[in-house]
Amino acid sequence: TEAAMAGALNVRLGGENSYFGQSSLRPYLGEARQALESRHIGEVIQLMWVTSALVAGGAILGWLIVN
């Protein structure tokens, strides 16, 4: 899902991170077509809400068709 989000936002994720004070180097995901900025947080939240609504709608529609 992280790779899909990187692609959707046109940013590069991964690289060097810190977990509990320990440095961790991870593969890069996506292409850095844009610099990663704080505005991307809002875009991620919106994309997650839209995706959740589509999945919920599909589940309800599927349930209605079956029943």
PDB file of all heavy atoms in Angstrom, residues 6 12 19 27 30 35 41 46 58 61-62:
ATOM      1  N   ALA A   6       2.644   6.150  -2.831  1.00  0.00           N
ATOM      2  CA  ALA A   6       3.733   6.936  -3.430  1.00  0.00           C
ATOM      3  C   ALA A   6       3.414   7.243  -4.889  1.00  0.00           C
ATOM      4  O   ALA A   6       3.606   8.371  -5.347  1.00  0.00           O
ATOM      5  CB  ALA A   6       5.053   6.180  -3.310  1.00  0.00           C
ATOM      6  N   ARG A  12       8.345  10.163  -3.673  1.00  0.00           N
ATOM      7  CA  ARG A  12       9.187   9.012  -3.351  1.00  0.00           C
ATOM      8  C   ARG A  12       9.161   8.809  -1.843  1.00  0.00           C
ATOM      9  O   ARG A  12       9.409   9.740  -1.077  1.00  0.00           O
ATOM     10  CB  ARG A  12      10.625   9.239  -3.825  1.00  0.00           C
ATOM     11  CG  ARG A  12      11.510   8.018  -3.608  1.00  0.00           C
ATOM     12  CD  ARG A  12      12.847   8.215  -4.226  1.00  0.00           C
ATOM     13  NE  ARG A  12      13.614   9.144  -3.402  1.00  0.00           N
ATOM     14  CZ  ARG A  12      14.876   9.463  -3.635  1.00  0.00           C
ATOM     15  NH1 ARG A  12      15.500   8.980  -4.684  1.00  0.00           N
ATOM     16  NH2 ARG A  12      15.500  10.299  -2.844  1.00  0.00           N
ATOM     17  N   TYR A  19      13.431   4.220  13.652  1.00  0.00           N
ATOM     18  CA  TYR A  19      12.416   3.516  14.424  1.00  0.00           C
ATOM     19  C   TYR A  19      12.963   3.245  15.816  1.00  0.00           C
ATOM     20  O   TYR A  19      13.942   2.522  15.968  1.00  0.00           O
ATOM     21  CB  TYR A  19      12.027   2.196  13.753  1.00  0.00           C
ATOM     22  CG  TYR A  19      11.428   2.377  12.381  1.00  0.00           C
ATOM     23  CD1 TYR A  19      12.196   2.207  11.233  1.00  0.00           C
ATOM     24  CD2 TYR A  19      10.097   2.731  12.228  1.00  0.00           C
ATOM     25  CE1 TYR A  19      11.646   2.378   9.974  1.00  0.00           C
ATOM     26  CE2 TYR A  19       9.540   2.900  10.975  1.00  0.00           C
ATOM     27  CZ  TYR A  19      10.317   2.717   9.856  1.00  0.00           C
ATOM     28  OH  TYR A  19       9.766   2.885   8.615  1.00  0.00           O
ATOM     29  N   PRO A  27      14.172   0.298   0.901  1.00  0.00           N
ATOM     30  CA  PRO A  27      14.169   0.631  -0.530  1.00  0.00           C
ATOM     31  C   PRO A  27      13.272   1.845  -0.801  1.00  0.00           C
ATOM     32  O   PRO A  27      12.298   2.080  -0.089  1.00  0.00           O
ATOM     33  CB  PRO A  27      13.582  -0.605  -1.195  1.00  0.00           C
ATOM     34  CG  PRO A  27      13.650  -1.692  -0.187  1.00  0.00           C
ATOM     35  CD  PRO A  27      13.659  -1.038   1.155  1.00  0.00           C
ATOM     36  N   GLY A  30       8.391   4.582  -5.512  1.00  0.00           N
ATOM     37  CA  GLY A  30       7.873   5.695  -6.298  1.00  0.00           C
ATOM     38  C   GLY A  30       8.980   6.557  -6.869  1.00  0.00           C
ATOM     39  O   GLY A  30      10.162   6.338  -6.627  1.00  0.00           O
ATOM     40  N   ALA A  35       8.347  17.197  -4.505  1.00  0.00           N
ATOM     41  CA  ALA A  35       8.928  17.123  -3.169  1.00  0.00           C
ATOM     42  C   ALA A  35       7.824  16.740  -2.183  1.00  0.00           C
ATOM     43  O   ALA A  35       6.680  17.170  -2.312  1.00  0.00           O
ATOM     44  CB  ALA A  35       9.534  18.463  -2.775  1.00  0.00           C
ATOM     45  N   ILE A  41      -0.251  15.119   3.420  1.00  0.00           N
ATOM     46  CA  ILE A  41      -0.972  14.433   4.491  1.00  0.00           C
ATOM     47  C   ILE A  41      -2.474  14.548   4.248  1.00  0.00           C
ATOM     48  O   ILE A  41      -3.207  13.556   4.338  1.00  0.00           O
ATOM     49  CB  ILE A  41      -0.585  15.002   5.870  1.00  0.00           C
ATOM     50  CG1 ILE A  41       0.888  14.715   6.144  1.00  0.00           C
ATOM     51  CG2 ILE A  41      -1.478  14.418   6.969  1.00  0.00           C
ATOM     52  CD1 ILE A  41       1.437  15.422   7.368  1.00  0.00           C
ATOM     53  N   GLN A  46      -7.687  12.206   2.360  1.00  0.00           N
ATOM     54  CA  GLN A  46      -8.811  12.252   1.416  1.00  0.00           C
ATOM     55  C   GLN A  46      -8.857  10.982   0.578  1.00  0.00           C
ATOM     56  O   GLN A  46      -9.926  10.393   0.381  1.00  0.00           O
ATOM     57  CB  GLN A  46      -8.682  13.480   0.515  1.00  0.00           C
ATOM     58  CG  GLN A  46      -9.824  13.619  -0.462  1.00  0.00           C
ATOM     59  CD  GLN A  46      -9.687  14.859  -1.337  1.00  0.00           C
ATOM     60  OE1 GLN A  46      -8.653  15.512  -1.350  1.00  0.00           O
ATOM     61  NE2 GLN A  46     -10.730  15.167  -2.065  1.00  0.00           N
ATOM     62  N   GLY A  58     -19.246  -0.888  -2.361  1.00  0.00           N
ATOM     63  CA  GLY A  58     -19.191  -2.153  -3.096  1.00  0.00           C
ATOM     64  C   GLY A  58     -19.661  -3.322  -2.252  1.00  0.00           C
ATOM     65  O   GLY A  58     -20.360  -4.215  -2.752  1.00  0.00           O
ATOM     66  N   LEU A  61     -23.456  -3.018  -1.989  1.00  0.00           N
ATOM     67  CA  LEU A  61     -24.057  -3.399  -3.273  1.00  0.00           C
ATOM     68  C   LEU A  61     -23.996  -4.913  -3.467  1.00  0.00           C
ATOM     69  O   LEU A  61     -24.966  -5.536  -3.891  1.00  0.00           O
ATOM     70  CB  LEU A  61     -23.349  -2.675  -4.416  1.00  0.00           C
ATOM     71  CG  LEU A  61     -23.876  -2.931  -5.824  1.00  0.00           C
ATOM     72  CD1 LEU A  61     -25.328  -2.486  -5.924  1.00  0.00           C
ATOM     73  CD2 LEU A  61     -23.019  -2.208  -6.837  1.00  0.00           C
ATOM     74  N   GLY A  62     -22.853  -5.496  -3.141  1.00  0.00           N
ATOM     75  CA  GLY A  62     -22.724  -6.953  -3.238  1.00  0.00           C
ATOM     76  C   GLY A  62     -23.708  -7.671  -2.344  1.00  0.00           C
ATOM     77  O   GLY A  62     -24.330  -8.672  -2.747  1.00  0.00           O
TER      78      GLY A  62
END
